[in-house]
């Protein structure tokens, strides 16, 4: 549809008006802080400088050089990416599977499933972390008790938070637990919205159940799956609370750190504000990269207006 | 139920068999369902246990202590915290109605040059971890003398919330532009077209966005910790819960009862909003 030129200009004015508050916030509460963050990252800015006891020292990119040559940074970065990937895939699989189950269950089990999902959704991350820690507690935990009862006696008194991978796994399980409800509710609504005629027609044509799932249902659900995936990536890449609470601030010798907690530890616990800011900038750049990829994908699937 | 009682044995048996068969076919799903339902069940059951039983690995209460909930309200000013939580969540949700609807409208239904750039900024803002901009932001609110109140938490929602704008835009995109054009040809202004035509059509999507916003703010821990940490009077439930656990960590049953108190309002709200909520998600998804 072609739009008269004058129309476009007038519409543009309305758009500017509607977005003015958003622009104020984007500039004042995002761009300006980001600018400051980038600025701080260029200085040797530690506790003495913050309290004014020592003058600021301009370092240019020394903080970045130090960060990028620090092997711990690379191992934290790798851990963050892998950890986020496991959480995203896990949430999608669990949420998707339970959504399918919900469409095929009777009303009462379905209602129970939904209530449990909502309970998980409505539990603050902090509380959820404690509950999971207690369930997997070395001595008092229900999980060890049940596993021992089932015959895995070797697991009696087993610590789930000690080993690096098992600690990450436990946190991932908790994160999947609090993010599967979003996926489940979304997918459930999506599956319910598929007109039954579409599926019936495929059945009449003699398509197998598997063929219907991959050939009919999945393509219809694709936009929803994309939204759920992107949301999960955004959430899981910047996980803070769960790691902080469940591994006691990043685990023994920081082996369960993810980037967000790492930046916090450097900036606040280590009082190296300049270095903390540099990590923040690196994280922002990484997230911007994801944003660009996301927008590419979106444009390709023709979602632009 | 009465019908089941009158059934003869073989019929009941058959039904049983069918149920078992269903469970067998869906065993993986059922196992997942039980696994992911368990933590909530655990919270609710532990909340009504006697305190010595709560610190054990048993799941089923031997004594049902419903007075635990009363104790929670006696031990801490839970009512004040509830009021704070509702203030934060409800005002923030009202805020996105005022700010995010026009913004999403401008990003989906008006053609103008800066649209893509602004949408990109929105997505970028959504990605930005709150911790990254914490220090400068905190500094700003200190200078305005508003730390220790809920204002720094609520005010931004009246201007912008990236996730809400993003979600609403996706919903609005599913509504054909023709409706808006037709309204404008009939003499509606841009604003009237939005309020009278688009908003009623997008109600489910708006309900879903409100629900997400409510749940997010209800569970928010980092924000309240940063801005209201020093002033107990403005604490919302999430913060109170963490401190409650700190003070009463021996009384695990009370901590779980407090957790249940935090969960309850959100669940009740969802049950009421469920219909339009589920419909809302359907809208974005399938046509998005």
């Amino acid at each position: 549809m072609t739009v008269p030129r004058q129309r476009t200009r007038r519409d543009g004015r309305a758009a500017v008006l509607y977005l003015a508050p958003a622009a104020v916030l984007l500039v004042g509460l995002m761009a300006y802080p980001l600018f400051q963050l980038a600025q701080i990252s260029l200085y040797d800015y530690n506790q003495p400088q913050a309290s004014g006891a020592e003058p600021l020292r301009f370092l240019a990119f020394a903080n970045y050089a130090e960060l990028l040559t620090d092997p711990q940074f690379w191992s934290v970065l790798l851990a963050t990416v892998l950890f986020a990937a496991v959480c995203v895939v896990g949430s999608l699989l669990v949420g998707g599977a339970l959504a399918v189950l919900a469409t095929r269950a009777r009303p009462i089990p379905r209602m129970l499933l939904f209530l449990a999902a909502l309970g998980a959704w409505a539990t603050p991350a902090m509380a959820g972390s404690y509950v999971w820690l207690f369930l997997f507690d070395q001595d008092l935990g229900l999980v060890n008790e049940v596993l021992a009862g089932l015959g895995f006696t070797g697991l009696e008194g087993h610590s789930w938070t000690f080993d690096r991978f098992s600690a990450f796994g436990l946190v991932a399980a908790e994160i999947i637990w609090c993010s599967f409800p979003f996926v489940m509710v979304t997918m459930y609504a999506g599956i319910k919205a598929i007109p039954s005629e579409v599926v019936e027609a495929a059945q009449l044509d003699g398509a197998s159940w598997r063929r219907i799932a991959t050939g009919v249902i999945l393509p219809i659900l694709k936009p929803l799956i994309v939204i759920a995936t992107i949301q999960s990536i955004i959430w899981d890449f910047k996980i803070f609370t769960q790691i902080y609470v469940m591994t006691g601030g990043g685990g023994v010798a920081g082996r369960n750190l993810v980037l967000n907690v790492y930046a916090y530890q450097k900036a606040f616990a280590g009082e190296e504000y300049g270095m903390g800011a540099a990590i923040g900038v690196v994280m922002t750049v990484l997230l911007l990269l994801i944003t660009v990829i996301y927008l590419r994908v979106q444009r390709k699937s023709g979602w632009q207006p | 139920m009465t019908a089941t009682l009158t059934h003869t044995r073989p019929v009941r048996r058959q039904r049983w068999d069918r149920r078992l068969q269903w469970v067998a076919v869906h065993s993986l799903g059922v196992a997942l369902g039980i696994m992911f339902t368990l933590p909530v069940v655990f919270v609710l059951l532990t909340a009504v246990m006697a305190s010595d039983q709560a610190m054990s690995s048993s799941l089923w209460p031997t004594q049902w202590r419903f007075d635990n909930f009363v104790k929670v309200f006696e031990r801490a000013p839970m009512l004040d915290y509830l009021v704070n939580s509702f203030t934060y969540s409800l005002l923030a949700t009202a805020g996105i109605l005022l700010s995010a609807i026009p913004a999403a409208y401008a990003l989906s239904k008006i053609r103008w040059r800066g649209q893509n750039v602004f949408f990109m900024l929105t997505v970028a803002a959504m990605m930005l971890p709150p911790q990254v901009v914490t220090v400068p932001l905190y500094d700003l609110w200190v200078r305005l003398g508003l730390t220790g109140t809920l204002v720094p938490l609520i005010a931004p929602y009246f201007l912008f919330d990236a996730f809400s704008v993003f979600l609403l835009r996706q919903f609005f995109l599913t509504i054909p532009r023709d409706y808006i054009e037709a309204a404008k040809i009939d003499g509606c202004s841009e604003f009237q077209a939005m309020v009278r035509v688009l908003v009623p059509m997008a109600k489910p999507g708006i309900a879903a966005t409100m629900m997400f916003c409510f749940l997010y703010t209800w569970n928010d821990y980092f924000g309240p910790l940063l801005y209201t940490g020093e002033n107990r009077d403005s604490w919302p439930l999430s913060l109170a819960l963490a401190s409650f656990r700190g003070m009463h960590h021996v009384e695990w049953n009370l901590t779980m009862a407090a957790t249940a108190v935090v969960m309850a309002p959100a669940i009740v709200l969802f049950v009421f909003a469920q219909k339009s909520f589920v419909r809302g998600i359907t809208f974005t998804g399938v046509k998005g």
Side-chain angles (χ1 to χ4, degrees), chain B residues 76-103:
Chain B
M78 291 299 271
L79 275 181
D80 295 348
Y81 298 143
L82 259 175
V83 169
N84 285 335
S85 267
F86 271 113
T87 311
Y88 176 23
S89 296
L90 288 179
L91 282 179
T93 310
I96 60 158
L97 280 185
L98 292 177
S99 67
I101 291 177

Side-chain angles (χ1 to χ4, degrees), chain A residues 36 118 121 142 193 238 294-295, chain B residues 57 120 136 166 219 270 282:
Chain A
Q36 274 202 322
L118 279 170
W121 203 346
L142 189 63
K238 42 184 199 191
Y294 165 59
L295 290 174
Chain B
S57 53
M120 220 182 96
F166 167 77
N219 289 346
F270 183 91
T282 321

Side-chain angles (χ1 to χ4, degrees), chain A residues 110 136 151 161 163 166 206-207 223 228 230-231 236 238 270 280 283 299:
Chain A
R110 182 168 65 220
F136 282 83
T161 49
D163 178 66
S166 120
I230 290 297
Q231 282 322 315
D236 296 343
K238 42 184 199 191
M283 232 179 125
R299 202 161 295 177

Side-chain angles (χ1 to χ4, degrees), chain B residues 58-286:
Chain B
S58 52
L59 184 63
W60 199 253
T62 43
Q63 284 174 292
W64 294 77
R65 303 288 293 270
F66 289 101
D67 58 320
N68 283 347
F69 290 101
V70 181
K71 273 194 210 148
V72 167
F73 278 84
E74 281 168 1
R75 293 281 173 89
M78 291 299 271
L79 275 181
D80 295 348
Y81 298 143
L82 259 175
V83 169
N84 285 335
S85 267
F86 271 113
T87 311
Y88 176 23
S89 296
L90 288 179
L91 282 179
T93 310
I96 60 158
L97 280 185
L98 292 177
S99 67
I101 291 177
Y105 180 81
L107 288 179
S108 61
K109 289 285 168 273
I110 306 178
R111 281 172 208 268
W112 58 294
R113 228 181 297 146
Q115 199 169 39
N116 283 335
V117 175
F118 209 102
F119 179 63
M120 220 182 96
L121 282 176
T122 305
V123 176
M126 186 166 78
M127 300 257 177
L128 202 67
Q131 284 82 4
V132 164
V133 289
T134 297
V135 177
L137 262 186
Y138 185 75
D139 193 49
L140 173 85
W141 289 110
V142 168
R143 266 187 250 169
L144 292 172
L146 288 168
T147 48
T149 69
L150 290 171
V151 177
L153 296 172
I154 297 168
Y157 286 95
F158 280 87
L159 293 176
F160 179 66
D161 176 50
F163 182 57
S164 304
V165 170
F166 167 77
L167 209 63
L168 279 176
R169 171 185 176 271
Q170 301 302 107
F171 284 112
F172 289 173
L173 283 181
T174 64
I175 295 166
R177 200 195 293 267
D178 305 357
Y179 289 98
I180 312 283
E181 295 297 332
K184 281 201 227 157
I185 288 166
D186 288 346
C188 274
S189 69
E190 196 80 70
F191 183 74
Q192 284 168 325
M194 176 176 83
V195 174
R196 299 225 183 113
V197 180
L198 186 77
V199 168
M201 291 183 77
K203 253 188 203 151
I206 294 171
T209 310
M210 287 170 73
M211 183 79 204
F212 286 130
C213 180
F214 187 93
L215 276 171
Y216 179 80
T217 50
W218 190 261
N219 289 346
D220 187 18
Y221 177 78
F222 187 77
L225 177 69
L226 192 64
Y227 293 113
T228 69
E230 58 196 272
N231 181 11
R232 213 165 239 284
D233 293 339
S234 337
W235 279 11
L237 278 174
S238 56
L239 209 50
L241 187 63
S243 128
F244 193 91
R245 182 189 168 272
M247 283 188 298
H248 306 276
H249 64 276
V250 207
E251 290 166 293
W252 186 242
N253 52 342
L254 294 191
T255 306
M256 288 299 105
T259 309
V261 170
V262 178
M263 283 180 194
I267 294 183
V268 170
L269 194 84
F270 183 91
V271 170
F272 279 114
Q274 190 193 17
K275 262 220 175 98
S276 49
F277 177 61
V278 168
R279 207 151 24 109
I281 289 178
T282 321
F283 259 79
T284 37
V286 177

Side-chain angles (χ1 to χ4, degrees), chain A residues 82-93 168 171-173 175-176 179 232 236 239:
Chain A
L82 290 180
F83 180 70
V86 167
C87 292
V88 170
V89 173
S91 316
L92 287 174
L93 287 181
F168 265 135
V171 181
I175 288 169
I176 292 170
S179 48
S232 302
D236 296 343
I239 285 297

Side-chain angles (χ1 to χ4, degrees), chain A residues 39 176 264 266 283 286 288:
Chain A
Q39 210 178 13
I176 292 170
Y264 178 85
K266 282 276 182 195
M283 232 179 125
L286 284 175
L288 281 178

Side-chain angles (χ1 to χ4, degrees), chain A residues 91-96 99 179-188 228 232:
Chain A
S91 316
L92 287 174
L93 287 181
V94 171
S179 48
F180 90 88
F182 173 76
V183 182
M184 180 182 127
V185 172
T186 312
M187 297 294 169
Y188 175 78
S232 302

